[in-house]
Amino acid sequence: MTVVEETAPAAVSAWQERYAAACRDVYRSTLFDLAKSDARIFAVDTDMGGLEDSFEPELPAQYVNVGIAEANLMGVSAGLAADGLVPFANTIASFAATRACEQVKVDIAGNNLPVRIVGTHGGFSAGHYGPTHHSLEDVAILRTLPNLTVVVPADAAETEYAIRAIADTEAFPGPVYVRLGRSATPLVHQGPYEFRIGKADLLRPGGDVTIVATGPLPVSEALAAAGLLAERGIDARVLNMHTVKPIDEEAVLAAARETAGLVTVEDSVLVGGLGSAVTELTSERWPCRVRRIGVPDGFHDEVGSERELLVLAGVTAERIAEAAEDVVVRSR
C-alpha cells in the first residue's frame, strides 16, 4: 500500500474550536469542501440527515439519497466508482457491515472499486437506540474482505486527515471503510501531527508495556490508563492504531520486542477485531503476552450512553491498567 503524508488541516490556534465537534460533523464539512474542488467526489446518502443541507443546494449533481436501502447504497456506489467517480457511501456502521455485507463483498471489494464507505454510529455510540444500532461486529466483518482498508479515526481531527487522505484515489485506488462515532468525544490530538494511513500513531513512548487502541473512547481510556500506570512506576507505550487493516506490522512487532507485552483496546467484539489482528501477527512473527480489552462475545441488549455501555463491557482505564500491570508482573 502507498503511504501518503497529509499536511496539517488547521493551525494550532484554531484547533480546539475547529475540532470540538463530532467526527461525523467534521466528516460532512470536509467532504463538502473536497467535493467543491473535485467534481468526481459524490455523496451517496441513506436518509442519514446532514449531508443534504450542503450538497443539495450547492452541489446537487454530486449528491443522491437512495433512502434507507443499504444494499442499494453499495450497488449504486459501486456503479459510480466503475464510471470514474469517487463515491462516499454514507450510512450507519452496523448496517454497512451486516445488512449490506453481500454488496460490499461482491460489488465493491470483489471488483476493487474506490468506494469510500463511511459508517457512523460506530461501537456503542448509538447505544441509546438499542442493540439494533450497536455496531460491534463491523470491524471484524469488514477486516476479512480482500482489498478493503479499514480506518477508525481517534477523534474529529483525525477524521479530517483520514477523509482528505482517502479522497486521493491514486494513493488509495481500492475501497476504504471509515468508522466514525455519533457524538463528540475527547480530542486525542491537541495540534497538527503526522497522519499516515497504515502507520500507527505513537501517542506516548514507553518501555515497560504497550497499549494498542483503536477508536475515540478506547484511545482516550488507553491514555488515561497509561497515566494510572505511571503512578505505579510502570512506563506504558500507547499506540493509536487508527488503521486496523492493513495493520502497522512494524509498530506492533517493535512493541512486542521492546516491551513486556501488549494490551489491545477496542469498542468492538473481541472476536475478529483489533485484538485478533494483533494476536494473529505476534503469534506468527514474535510471540509475546497479549491481553485483549473489548466487548465480550455475546448479544448485548442494554440501552444506554456510549460510556455507560463501555463500562458495562469492561472497556475502562482501570481495567486496561490492571491488564497492563499483569503483563509486566508476569514478565519478571
Side-chain angles (χ1 to χ4, degrees):
M1 152 174 272
T2 303
V3 174
V4 172
E5 297 183 11
E6 290 294 303
T7 54
V12 177
S13 58
W15 196 267
Q16 292 288 341
E17 181 179 356
R18 180 165 184 167
Y19 295 118
C23 294
R24 62 175 179 160
D25 293 333
V26 171
Y27 154 62
R28 289 168 183 159
S29 62
T30 303
L31 181 63
F32 182 62
D33 285 345
L34 290 167
K36 286 189 291 186
S37 58
D38 186 346
R40 299 175 306 144
I41 292 179
F42 204 102
V44 192
D45 209 355
T46 50
D47 263 346
M48 292 288 289
L51 284 170
E52 77 281 3
D53 294 339
S54 54
F55 274 85
E56 281 191 333
E58 295 193 45
L59 301 172
Q62 291 170 247
Y63 177 81
V64 65
N65 187 347
V66 300
I68 304 174
E70 286 76 13
N72 285 344
L73 167 74
M74 301 307 175
V76 168
S77 297
L80 292 170
D83 204 31
L85 299 178
V86 186
F88 280 71
N90 187 60
T91 189
I92 289 177
S94 60
F95 303 156
T98 54
R99 185 176 297 169
C101 185
E102 179 183 353
Q103 285 70 31
V104 174
K105 173 186 173 184
V106 177
D107 297 352
I108 296 174
N111 291 294
N112 200 22
L113 292 169
V115 175
R116 282 65 176 109
I117 303 166
V118 180
T120 61
H121 303 68
F124 280 129
S125 65
H128 57 292
Y129 289 147
T132 57
H133 286 60
H134 296 171
S135 184
L136 304 174
E137 309 87 0
D138 56 326
V139 172
I141 293 171
L142 297 178
R143 188 173 79 82
T144 66
L145 299 184
N147 299 323
L148 194 64
T149 295
V150 178
V151 179
V152 188
D155 61 11
E158 201 158 83
T159 298
E160 178 165 357
Y161 278 112
I163 297 301
R164 290 187 181 279
I166 64 175
D168 183 350
T169 53
E170 290 188 8
F172 302 102
V176 182
Y177 172 63
V178 180
R179 186 206 215 211
L180 304 177
R182 178 180 180 275
S183 303
T185 48
L187 274 175
V188 171
H189 303 91
Q190 303 304 319
Y193 61 101
E194 182 182 36
F195 173 83
R196 294 187 295 170
I197 285 181
K199 300 300 291 183
D201 176 25
L202 176 63
L203 295 176
R204 177 175 175 143
D208 290 334
V209 65
T210 300
I211 305 171
V212 186
T214 191
L217 291 183
V219 172
S220 295
E221 293 298 297
L223 288 169
L228 295 174
L229 290 164
E231 295 173 359
R232 304 172 194 174
I234 297 174
D235 188 23
R237 182 180 309 184
V238 178
L239 294 176
N240 163 28
M241 196 63 70
H242 52 65
T243 307
V244 178
K245 182 187 179 183
I247 197 166
D248 186 345
E249 295 186 358
E250 182 180 3
V252 172
L253 294 174
R257 288 193 302 268
E258 297 166 4
T259 65
L262 290 77
V263 177
T264 64
V265 190
E266 57 195 311
D267 54 353
S268 302
V269 289
L270 286 169
V271 180
L274 171 68
S276 294
V278 167
T279 53
E280 289 162 12
L281 175 63
T282 55
S283 65
E284 291 184 350
R285 303 276 296 279
W286 195 277
C288 66
R289 289 184 175 83
V290 179
R291 294 284 301 277
R292 297 178 300 150
I293 303 291
V295 181
D297 186 26
F299 288 103
H300 301 271
D301 297 330
E302 300 86 358
V303 175
S305 72
E306 184 175 15
R307 237 178 231 291
E308 289 171 340
L309 296 178
L310 284 176
V311 169
L312 286 175
V315 184
T316 64
E318 291 76 12
R319 187 153 177 256
I320 298 166
E322 289 174 4
E325 186 171 14
D326 182 64
V327 167
V328 172
V329 170
R330 290 178 183 274
S331 70
R332 291 172 178 164

